[in-house]
Every structure is written in C-alpha cells, then in structure tokens.
Amino acid sequence: MQNKGLIKFFAILFALVCIYQLSFTFIAGGIEDDAKAFAKGDSKKELQYLDSIGKQKVHFFGYTYNEVRDKQINKGLDLEGGINVMLEISVKEILKGLANNSKNPVFNRALDRATKERQGNQDYVDAFFIAFDKESNGTVKLASPELFTNRIMGSETVNIDMSDDQVKKVIRKKVSESMDSAFGVLTERIDKFGVVQPNIQKMGESGRIMVELPGAKDIDRVKKLLISTAQLEFWEAYKAQDLQNFFITANETLKKTETATTAETAPASNDSIEKLLGANDSAATKKGNNPLLDRMQMSQGGPVLAVVSTKDTAKVNSYLKRSDIRSLLPADMRYARFSWGKEDVRKSAGLLELYALKGNKENAAPLGGNVITDASATFDQMNKPAVSMTMNTTGAQKWAEMTGKAYREQGFIAIVLDNVVYSAPGVTTGPIEGGNSQISGAFDVTETKDLANILRAGKLPAKADIVQSEVVGPSLGQEAIDNGINSSIVGLLLVSLWMVVYYGKAGWYANAALLVNILFLFGFLASLGAVLTLPGIAGIVLTIGTAVDANIIIYERAKEEIRHGKTLDEAVRTSFSWRGAMSSITDANVTHVLTGLVLLIFGSGPVKGFATTLLIGIFTSLFTSIFITRIFLDWSIRRGDKLTFVTGMSKNWFTNVHFNFLGAKKFTYIFSSAVVILSCVSFYVNGLDEGIDFAGGRTFQIKFEKPVSVETVRDELGEIFEGGVDAKVFGSDSQLRITTKYKIAENTVEADAEVNKMLYEGLKKYYTNISYDHFVNANEGKNLGIVQASKVSAVVADDIKTNSYYAVLGAMAIVFIYLMVSFRKWQYSLGAIAAVAHDVIFVLGIYSALYKFMPFHMEMDQHFIAAILTVIGYSMNDTVIVFDRVREYLAGNTKGSFKQIVNDSINTTLSRTVNTSLTMILVLLIMFIFGGESIRGFIFAMLIGIIVGTYSSLFIATPVLVDTYSKEDKDAIEKRHNEVI
C-alpha cells in the first residue's frame, strides 16, 4: 500500500481529534449527572445548579461548562425527554397584512382557493399565485392600489407599473422576511424559557418552524408561549350601562328567530356569580324565554357588560355577529367590538367576562404593542402578580392622551392581548405621564414571567398554529438510552465473535478496525453538533453490522486468490485493488449512500438522525475497512504470520457449491408472484395501519398502575371522544397506545388542553390518586400517566405522505440510473429494480396481513418509510455484489454455457452474501429484542427486508437479468468463452 505513513498519520490525527471532540460529551455528561444527583428530581434545582457553574472552567483546555455543553453530542427528545413542536406561521395572514387587509373579492377568493387547493408540501405562496392567476384571469394586477401598492409594501418596493411576475418576487421576499422575523421572535422567547440546549429550525420556505425543548415539562405553558402572537392593544371600553338597552332589544329580536333556551344553557345563578357582579338580574324577564339574556348575567356598572358560561360563548358570539343584531346598535356605537376577558380558573372557572371596545372603521387600536420598549413581572398594589410595561416617547404621549380622556370621562381602558381582554382599569389620578402601564388580572407568577418575556421579544407577524407535536417523558427517554446501549453492546460482541469464528486472526484485525470506526463515527457526530436519537442509535448498531461488510468482501476475495495459487502478499494486494474487491465495494456503497441521501432530504426529526448516522457510518466504515484493516494485514505479513482467512471450523464452508440458481427460477417466480398477488389482495382487504404521520391524529402512550382491559378503555373513551378512538397494548399490559382524531383540525392550545382534560377525566378512575398536572406533564421521575404524546395535523400528514412517495420512488429511480451508468447495460438496472420492488411489496404485504395480530405496533409512519429505504439500500447492496461478480465472469474466460457462467458467478458470492446478511440479521434481532417497544416495528420491517432482500438478489434480480439478455448477446458471450484456449 502506497503512502502508508501518510495514512497512519491521518488515522492517528483523526483519532485524536475524535477523542478531543468526545471529551466535551463525557465532561458535560458527568456534570449533568452531578446536577441530577443534587436536585433529586427537582428540575428547577437542576437548572439552577447548571446555571451556577455555567461560567466555571471545567475542561482541561480551559472551556467553561456553557462552552462544553454547546460542543457535546446532543440527545434527541426520545432520549432526553421534552417537547417537540412544529409551528406553522400563517402565510395567508402575512399576505393579508401585506395587502393592507384588502377587501378585493378576487384577492380574497384567491386566498380561500389556495387554502383549499394547496397540494402536498407545496408552499402556500406558490398556491396563492396559481389561485390568483386563475381568479383574476388578467383582470386584476397584483400591483393594483387595492392590493400590494400600499403604504405597508412601500412605493419603492411595489408600484403600479410593475408586472405580476415582478410583484411576485417582491412578495416572496417580504414573506421570507416575515418568516425570519417570526424565527427571531421565537428564538428570543425560547432563549428566556429556561431549558438546556433548545433547538429551533426553519423548515425551508414552508412557513413551518420546528422547536425542540429538551427537558421541558409544562406542556400547556410551552404551547402558550410559542403560539401567542403577542398582539398587544389598548382600547377605550364602553360602560355596562351604555349597552343595556341594546342587549334587551337584541333579546326581543332574537325571540322571533330563536327557540327558547333550556335551563341547562344558562349559567347557574350561584353565589360565585352574584359575588363577582354584586347585582341581581336586571332584565326582569322570565328565565327560559330569552335566547340572549338567559345566557348572560348582566352587570350594573363598570367595563364588564356581562358574565357568560364558557359553553355559551360560541352561541353568544354568533348572535352578536349577526347583521340584523348589529344594526340595533346606536349609530355612534356601530363599530363596537365585543371581546371576552381572560378566564380566572381559580375564582370563577367556567365563566368569561364580556367587554365592548370602542372600535373604528379601520378596526385599528389607538395604541399598539409596538410602542413597548420593556416589560417585567411585578406585583400590583394588592400584591397580586402583574406585568409592568415601559413605552417609547410616541407611546407615552398617546398613553397620556388616552388616560387623560378616561380620567375626564370616568371611562375605562381595556388592555387586550391576542384578542383577549386581560384587564380594563379606570383612571382615578389624572393622565399617566412617562409611558408606564401595568397589566393585572387573573395571573400567577409563572404567567406574568412568560407574558413579560413574550412582550419583550415582540409580536409574531401572523398567528402560529401547532400542526405537529410530540411530548416524551424523561423516564421513557432513560429507558430508550438503556435499550440503545444494551443493543449496541450485544450487537458489537456478536459481530466481533462471528468475525473471529469465521476468519480467525484476520477477524481480530477487522474487529480492531470496527472499534476505530465507532470512535470515528461518534467523533464526527460530536464535531457536527448532531442530535442523537433512538433511530440514530439504530443507525449506529446497523453500522456495526455493515462495517465488516467491506472486510468480508476483501477477505473472501483474498481467499479466492490464495486458492488460485497466489502468495498471501499477492492475494492481499489483489483483493485491495480495483480489479479485486474495490469495484464491488464502491458500487455497493454508492447505491447505499444514494438511498441514505434521499432519506436525509425527505425525512424529518428522528428519521434525519437515523440517516445522518447511517451516512457517516458508511464513510467511516469504508475508511477503516480499506485503510486501517490494510495496515494491520501488512503488519502481520511483515511479521511472517500465516493468514488463511479461515479457521478450522469455517475452512470448508461455502466451498465447491454448485447450486443451480437459474434452474430454480421457475419455482421462485411462481412463489414471488404469489406473494405479490396475495400482498395486493391484502392491501385491498386489510389496507395498511396508517399511523398519525400518514392519517393525522393524536396519539398518547399511557402507563397505568396495573393491567387494564383494552376493549373497556376503547369503549369508554369512544363515548367521551364521540367515537373514533383506537387503543392497543404497547409493551406491557399496563401500558396502552391510544389514538384519536378528535379536534385534530383545531390547531389551538385550547383544543389540545381540552383533549388532555377529557382523557384525564376518562382515565383517572384507573389510578389511586393522580392529579391532572401529574397525568399530563412530563415530570422528572414520572412513570404513570401520559409518558409520550404526539399530534400530527391533516396538512402535515399529507406532506409526510407526499414526501414518502417521493423518497421511495426517487431512491429507486436514482439507483436505476446509477446502475445503468456503472454497468453500461439497462438489464442490470432492470434486474435490481425488479428485486427492490419485490422486496418493498413483500414487506408491505406482511405488514398489511399481520398488523392486526402482532403484539407490537406495525404502523405506516416516518420510521417505517426509513426502514423501507434502508431495505432498498441493503437490497441494492446485495444485488450489486452479485451483479459485479456476474459482470466479471461474463467478461472473463470461464468456459461453459451462459447459464453455467452466471450460476458459477453467483455461487462464488455465497460466502459473502450469507456472511453479510447473517451479521445484519444478528444485530437486527438484538435491536428487535433489546431496542425497546417504540422502534420494534421499525426494526421488524428491516429484519424482514434484509431476509427478503438476500433472497431476491439471488433468485429474482439475476434471473431477470439473464431473461432480459438478448439471444444474440448470450450466443456471442458463449462463443467467446468457449473459444478461449
């Protein structure tokens, strides 16, 4: 081997760099263990401990703990526990804002059409442009003064002389700037939230932002913090007496169109309401005959018009929005804007206060939150939690005007955040100078801190919806780490043992290279700042299984060369040459890399982690197998060691095998055709168990105190959630996986909280004593209640499904093209694609037929697609090795018929095929047993795929290759081979 010294130098250098990179992970891990021991399960104490030593030097090169923490390998949520949220910023609202909330009917129809007709993972902006072109048909220009030539866009940006294509470029830029603004606002909010190593990423130009908060436990608080637009407004508020006549008149009008309400709908006239209002019913009407007033407890004074039960607010809203009801408002109140107050869950749970704000034609608040320069949590004069705010000069002047007017007229100023009235204080001491104000109301200390944080960070450019979320409890994360470590160690030991049993001393050299490979793999992960997930650990374990693949190919070639009479040194040199094993290794790994890249591009979250470790593992495996193993072999040869690449046990294995693979094609074609037909029948009859990644929905993994009846839980929750609930045993009988689509179309915090509360109410009887917070939140040491929860909206599910189709079809197309270029005959590509298509259908068919009966979940989700792509990669790998030997034999001088030559070439690859498949099956079995319930279905797909892929590379790919060769080509090859002397 040339440049041996240089390779040794770089190998040692890489090893030292990897050790250096991994030192940060080990040191940070030790400190975090100390913090956990100190905190004894109290997450606040743990954070305080880590914050206290953040600037202390803890690394032998002088790095502080904060610097060390940033350089360690980060653990994903499935290992650390925490909350993952996919936010979708409403591009529709951004476009409305850029068009200055235009009332143009073409524009608004285009927005609605884009929402309905948006395809797969198409950007909303693209969908809008297509819809606008169809709706306008050239009649309305985007540069129209009614649309985007306005003060918001600016005359220097858009003018009426610009074409639609020019305006589209500007709109794209403005939308991108809005997304950058949203990203910055969310980043600032999250930085102040108080979790270690938060992760926030923009997902291309889709309008989506992915947020990961490892270790976060208060789910509802996190969601509120993220989706609050922070649209702060200050409005003048009407007094209760100003609208009493309106409500009485509206009630009389509604009597003509509405049926009488029942006693159930009216809020109970209990002591809490009476105390809250200090007033009796002023309507002087009989209960049950008043559509509006029976749903309201009227106020006699102040800014609160009435108190309404939360369950009646939707009906009251519908009444107050009716045009015939609004027409009853006095002329000077025609722009009145009705708003609800913030619920006080401690004093008046289930009740909301109704306010009326003094609106205007533009529906613009006199004073907005953009004037706020600072905000902080504080306490009011009653020693209750509040938020104090400071305004800039412009805001201070306007605030003085508003408070002065309120003082003179004895009026009220409503402080409104995201369309919710937090308070509506009066002014008793004259105009408030200096721009200082305060928000008080139904707060606790945590809420005031979060609100101050939100106000300081600024408002989002548009509303944000949670379209996908996942919550993982810390106990589940620790279980995943333990499972991953166990499967990795056992897999490593088994592969190492097999290499020694089969190859003897050469096997020890392969094992040494394998250890170096693992060091390089983790070192690269650390240097890239990669996030390690459970599927990522699966990728590492798979790397262990495949790392020896190149060694097996090299060793098998060396054995052949020795049998042909070459010396040990010549055999090793030949096996490491392009004519030896290198061409096979290159082709096999290029196909593997291509499918891995497709997985990296189209995958998301943990699947990307799997793809990352898989791709890094391929390159580190190639380096160590080709260079590190060669260094050991050359060293052994120089010492005069006798290397035979066999042991007394394995020396006769797979030698002199003459199986007629092509002769068996009649039976294998029939068998495989039958499997494909039965699979298609199963697809039609059973379908596939589409997980929430594909179908949308909510999934909860719930741990009970003792085993429960699946049927009973399913029926009880079905009544609560109005049907559509699925429950399955997940692991032990005391743990269930519950799925529902209840309110999946509502991407609001309120809908998520409602589902959580309904689930808690339905299941709390199965626990001795469990609170709502303990049931829902991811507390330290938690082992009961919701240990994992996921939500995927229908829009995201459609995108995932579309990406999955592209990924599978794209991987097959890319590999087809590569093989056609590499082997220069389309027959090789066709044979490989036929085998891969067979393998994919086979795996899908097994999942379709067995998902109702297997004791583990077999859902179609992102992990399953990752497994399918991995199967494609390994099936191609096997097939390419066989094809490479077929190509070599067809180009050589072996005598015999075309079929005999092909059969001989296949038989010579059996040792490599069986060895590689066996090591893969061993590590997959270990992961299937020890890897944990959450990835069992994922591993099972790969396990079946590897077995079927080995079969198809021998009995499908090669027969298809032979059958598609023309008779002229076969005759020419036979003639050339049999003329050789």
Side-chain angles (χ1 to χ4, degrees):
M1 182 173 63
Q2 296 180 344
N3 299 319
K4 192 183 303 180
L6 187 63
I7 291 170
K8 285 182 180 178
F9 170 77
F10 278 111
I12 294 170
L13 181 63
F14 287 158
L16 292 174
V17 170
C18 289
I19 292 170
Y20 167 75
Q21 291 289 350
L22 289 172
S23 67
F24 297 105
T25 301
F26 286 117
I27 292 172
I31 293 171
E32 286 162 13
D33 287 342
D34 293 342
K36 282 184 170 64
F38 170 80
K40 297 179 180 178
D42 187 329
S43 58
K44 290 184 179 178
K45 281 187 177 180
E46 184 180 334
L47 282 172
Q48 288 170 357
Y49 179 93
L50 294 175
D51 288 341
S52 68
I53 63 168
K55 296 181 180 180
Q56 289 184 19
K57 293 182 179 180
V58 296
H59 193 275
F60 37 80
F61 282 118
Y63 291 103
T64 65
Y65 167 69
N66 287 340
E67 292 169 328
V68 168
R69 183 191 63 196
D70 292 340
K71 293 176 182 291
Q72 69 173 329
I73 297 178
N74 299 320
K75 294 194 286 287
L77 295 190
D78 50 1
L79 299 179
E80 179 79 5
I83 300 171
N84 174 299
V85 170
M86 184 77 75
L87 294 170
E88 185 168 70
I89 307 298
S90 176
V91 179
K92 182 178 181 178
E93 283 201 4
I94 292 175
L95 290 173
K96 281 184 176 180
L98 293 175
N100 199 21
N101 293 310
S102 171
K103 305 298 182 183
N104 183 282
V106 171
F107 172 72
N108 286 288
R109 285 201 305 271
L111 289 173
D112 293 338
R113 186 168 183 171
T115 303
K116 293 175 184 176
E117 297 181 1
R118 184 181 176 191
Q119 304 266 322
N121 50 8
Q122 181 184 33
D123 287 349
Y124 186 88
V125 175
D126 291 334
F128 166 72
F129 288 153
I130 293 169
F132 183 82
D133 290 342
K134 290 178 181 177
E135 288 290 337
S136 69
N137 199 23
T139 59
V140 179
K141 289 181 62 179
L142 289 171
S144 163
E146 284 187 89
L147 298 182
F148 293 102
T149 299
N150 57 52
R151 60 183 177 81
I152 294 175
M153 295 290 282
S155 58
E156 295 179 2
T157 307
V158 176
N159 59 70
I160 57 174
D161 297 324
M162 294 175 70
S163 67
D164 278 359
D165 287 339
Q166 290 174 315
V167 177
K168 286 176 182 178
K169 291 180 181 178
V170 177
I171 291 172
R172 287 186 192 280
K173 182 181 178 183
K174 288 288 186 181
V175 170
S176 180
E177 288 173 355
S178 295
M179 290 304 303
D180 290 339
S181 171
F183 183 81
V185 169
L186 288 170
T187 300
E188 190 167 343
R189 289 184 189 179
I190 290 164
D191 285 344
K192 293 178 174 63
F193 185 70
V195 296
V196 179
Q197 293 178 301
N199 179 30
I200 177 169
Q201 297 176 20
K202 277 205 306 180
M203 310 306 288
E205 299 300 323
S206 64
R208 292 178 186 155
I209 297 173
M210 190 270 288
V211 177
E212 282 189 340
L213 300 175
K217 297 171 178 65
D218 192 334
I219 299 161
D220 293 338
R221 180 188 172 199
V222 168
K223 290 181 177 179
K224 287 178 183 176
L225 177 79
L226 293 176
I227 71 170
S228 172
T229 55
Q231 184 73 36
L232 181 65
E233 298 169 327
F234 300 88
W235 295 84
E236 293 179 49
Y238 287 107
K239 302 172 187 176
Q241 56 267 32
D242 294 339
L243 284 106
Q244 278 190 348
N245 290 335
F246 161 73
F247 284 129
I248 294 171
T249 308
N251 184 68
E252 294 301 316
T253 303
L254 288 167
K255 283 182 181 181
K256 302 172 184 177
T257 60
E258 299 295 310
T259 58
T261 60
T262 63
E264 288 182 316
T265 50
S269 181
N270 56 26
D271 290 342
S272 64
I273 297 179
E274 297 297 336
K275 288 178 181 176
L276 180 67
L277 298 175
N280 296 317
D281 183 17
S282 64
T285 55
K286 184 179 178 181
K287 290 288 182 183
N289 296 328
N290 305 287
L292 180 61
L293 296 181
D294 283 352
R295 290 182 167 90
M296 305 170 70
Q297 189 73 31
M298 300 297 293
S299 172
Q300 295 298 310
V304 178
L305 308 181
V307 175
V308 180
S309 173
T310 53
K311 66 178 180 292
D312 288 332
T313 53
K315 180 60 74 173
V316 171
N317 277 336
S318 68
Y319 291 157
L320 296 179
K321 288 179 180 177
R322 278 173 46 168
S323 57
D324 59 331
I325 300 301
R326 287 198 65 87
S327 67
L328 301 175
L329 286 165
D332 61 343
M333 294 185 185
R334 65 185 183 277
Y335 296 119
R337 174 178 161 184
F338 294 101
S339 295
W340 298 101
K342 184 179 183 294
E343 181 181 7
D344 188 340
V345 294
R346 289 178 294 276
K347 291 186 178 179
S348 53
L351 299 173
L352 291 180
E353 296 173 340
L354 180 64
Y355 296 83
L357 311 179
K358 293 184 179 181
N360 48 55
K361 185 178 181 180
E362 294 78 22
N363 195 31
L367 187 62
N370 57 324
V371 302
I372 301 299
T373 58
D374 193 20
S376 60
T378 185
F379 292 89
D380 63 14
Q381 294 176 344
M382 305 296 292
N383 202 34
K384 293 179 180 179
V387 176
S388 64
M389 298 172 290
T390 305
M391 302 178 185
N392 60 23
T393 305
T394 303
Q397 291 174 350
K398 184 63 180 176
W399 183 241
E401 289 177 18
M402 290 182 69
T403 53
K405 182 179 179 183
Y407 172 70
R408 291 190 301 274
E409 298 178 359
Q410 295 184 344
F412 302 90
I413 297 177
I415 301 175
V416 184
L417 182 68
D418 294 341
N419 296 318
V420 174
V421 179
Y422 275 68
S423 61
V427 180
T428 58
T429 58
I432 301 174
E433 306 287 348
N436 295 314
S437 60
Q438 190 177 80
I439 305 176
S440 59
F443 291 122
D444 60 27
V445 174
T446 301
E447 286 177 313
T448 56
K449 286 181 179 178
D450 287 345
L451 180 56
N453 175 11
I454 290 170
L455 293 174
R456 280 197 304 272
K459 70 175 184 178
L460 290 173
K463 73 170 184 175
D465 289 331
I466 297 174
V467 293
Q468 185 176 356
S469 64
E470 182 176 15
V471 180
V472 181
S475 60
L476 198 64
Q478 187 57 50
E479 180 184 342
I481 293 173
D482 295 340
N483 290 335
I485 292 173
N486 291 337
S487 58
S488 300
I489 292 173
V490 176
L492 176 63
L493 292 176
L494 281 178
V495 170
S496 300
L497 179 63
W498 177 253
M499 291 299 290
V500 172
V501 168
Y502 200 87
Y503 293 109
K505 186 178 288 186
W508 284 110
Y509 297 148
N511 291 339
L514 176 59
L515 292 176
V516 176
N517 175 34
I518 294 172
L519 174 64
F520 285 177
L521 174 57
F522 278 101
F524 271 107
L525 288 173
S527 62
L528 292 174
V531 177
L532 189 62
T533 62
L534 188 55
I537 292 178
I540 292 169
V541 179
L542 276 176
T543 298
I544 293 171
T546 57
V548 295
D549 181 46
N551 283 136
I552 290 172
I553 298 172
I554 292 167
Y555 287 179
E556 291 301 319
R557 188 61 185 235
K559 284 198 294 187
E560 289 179 22
E561 298 299 331
I562 290 172
R563 290 193 194 106
H564 292 155
K566 289 187 177 180
T567 64
L568 177 61
D569 188 33
E570 291 171 337
V572 169
R573 281 204 303 270
T574 302
S575 61
F576 277 92
S577 69
W578 186 259
R579 290 178 56 195
M582 288 303 106
S583 62
S584 300
I585 291 171
T586 301
D587 284 333
N589 281 282
V590 166
T591 57
H592 208 169
V593 167
L594 289 174
T595 54
L597 284 173
V598 170
L599 189 58
L600 186 67
I601 292 168
F602 289 101
S604 62
V607 175
K608 278 189 182 291
F610 173 75
T612 301
T613 54
L614 202 62
L615 286 169
I616 294 173
I618 291 170
F619 289 108
T620 57
S621 297
L622 283 174
F623 179 83
T624 54
S625 297
I626 294 171
F627 295 111
I628 303 300
T629 305
R630 180 69 185 275
I631 290 172
F632 284 124
L633 290 175
D634 288 348
W635 172 74
S636 184
I637 291 169
R638 286 198 308 273
R639 289 182 57 205
D641 292 342
K642 186 178 180 182
L643 289 174
T644 58
F645 301 99
V646 294
T647 62
M649 184 186 301
S650 65
K651 64 181 178 181
N652 294 320
W653 292 356
F654 304 108
T655 57
N656 298 317
V657 179
H658 301 288
F659 185 80
N660 186 4
F661 288 94
L662 297 179
K665 71 177 182 179
K666 179 179 178 181
F667 303 102
T668 57
Y669 277 176
I670 292 173
F671 170 73
S672 293
S673 298
V675 169
V676 170
I677 292 170
L678 289 173
S679 295
C680 292
V681 170
S682 184
F683 298 155
Y684 179 77
V685 175
N686 293 329
L688 288 159
D689 185 16
E690 290 192 352
I692 63 169
D693 284 354
F694 277 26
R698 305 172 189 270
T699 293
F700 301 91
Q701 185 178 328
I702 300 177
K703 183 74 174 174
F704 294 88
E705 292 177 348
K706 55 187 177 181
V708 294
S709 167
V710 177
E711 292 76 15
T712 303
V713 170
R714 184 188 297 126
D715 293 343
E716 290 174 348
L717 292 179
E719 293 179 8
I720 294 173
F721 289 110
E722 302 171 4
V725 172
D726 185 32
K728 297 176 183 176
V729 172
F730 194 79
S732 67
D733 291 338
S734 60
Q735 185 167 257
L736 298 185
R737 186 184 180 97
I738 295 170
T739 304
T740 178
K741 290 189 177 181
Y742 185 77
K743 289 199 172 182
I744 192 60
E746 297 184 26
N747 298 314
T748 63
V749 173
E750 291 75 19
D752 293 345
E754 180 185 347
V755 172
N756 287 340
K757 287 174 183 174
M758 292 169 71
L759 192 65
Y760 169 70
E761 293 297 331
L763 298 178
K764 67 180 181 181
K765 66 182 180 181
Y766 293 99
Y767 298 89
T768 305
N769 182 23
I770 189 169
S771 65
Y772 170 76
D773 285 341
H774 187 76
F775 180 79
V776 172
N777 291 329
N779 300 312
E780 196 73 38
K782 174 179 178 177
N783 55 13
L784 291 175
I786 299 174
V787 293
Q788 184 172 14
S790 302
K791 169 192 167 184
V792 179
S793 71
V795 174
V796 173
D798 287 342
D799 290 354
I800 292 172
K801 194 180 293 186
T802 302
N803 282 340
S804 299
Y805 292 145
Y806 286 157
V808 173
L809 296 176
M812 295 173 72
I814 290 170
V815 172
F816 180 91
I817 294 169
Y818 173 77
L819 290 180
M820 192 162 63
V821 171
S822 179
F823 285 85
R824 299 179 184 177
K825 279 189 178 290
W826 61 268
Q827 289 91 340
Y828 287 96
S829 293
L830 183 62
I833 292 300
V836 166
H838 164 274
D839 299 343
V840 171
I841 293 172
F842 200 116
V843 175
L844 287 172
I846 287 179
Y847 265 60
S848 175
L850 299 181
Y851 77 83
K852 295 179 181 178
F853 310 105
M854 283 295 190
F856 52 89
H857 74 99
M858 299 176 71
E859 292 179 349
M860 287 276 290
D861 54 16
Q862 291 188 81
H863 291 160
F864 178 81
I865 297 302
I868 290 293
L869 287 170
T870 307
V871 167
I872 290 174
Y874 285 108
S875 180
M876 288 288 185
N877 193 313
D878 266 348
T879 301
V880 164
I881 295 298
V882 174
F883 279 2
D884 197 75
R885 185 53 60 93
V886 171
R887 177 176 60 179
E888 181 184 340
Y889 267 54
L890 291 179
N893 55 15
T894 305
K895 290 189 176 184
S897 67
F898 184 85
K899 289 185 177 179
Q900 286 176 331
I901 297 169
V902 173
N903 266 324
D904 288 344
S905 63
I906 299 174
N907 279 295
T908 60
T909 65
L910 272 185
S911 181
R912 178 267 169 196
T913 300
V914 172
N915 260 321
T916 301
S917 297
L918 187 61
T919 54
M920 282 295 301
I921 290 168
L922 278 174
V923 295
L924 286 171
L925 274 174
I926 293 304
M927 284 177 11
F928 183 76
I929 296 168
F930 295 107
E933 187 67 30
S934 59
I935 63 168
R936 195 154 283 149
F938 166 62
I939 298 299
F940 184 73
M942 285 196 286
L943 188 58
I944 297 298
I946 297 301
I947 296 171
V948 175
T950 303
Y951 158 81
S952 67
S953 66
L954 298 173
F955 293 102
I956 301 295
T958 311
V960 169
L961 167 68
V962 171
D963 289 344
T964 52
Y965 252 86
S966 66
K967 187 176 184 305
E968 293 77 12
D969 286 343
K970 292 178 183 177
D971 291 342
I973 290 170
E974 286 183 0
K975 182 179 178 182
R976 179 169 54 80
H977 277 255
N978 291 315
E979 285 178 353
V980 175
I981 300 176

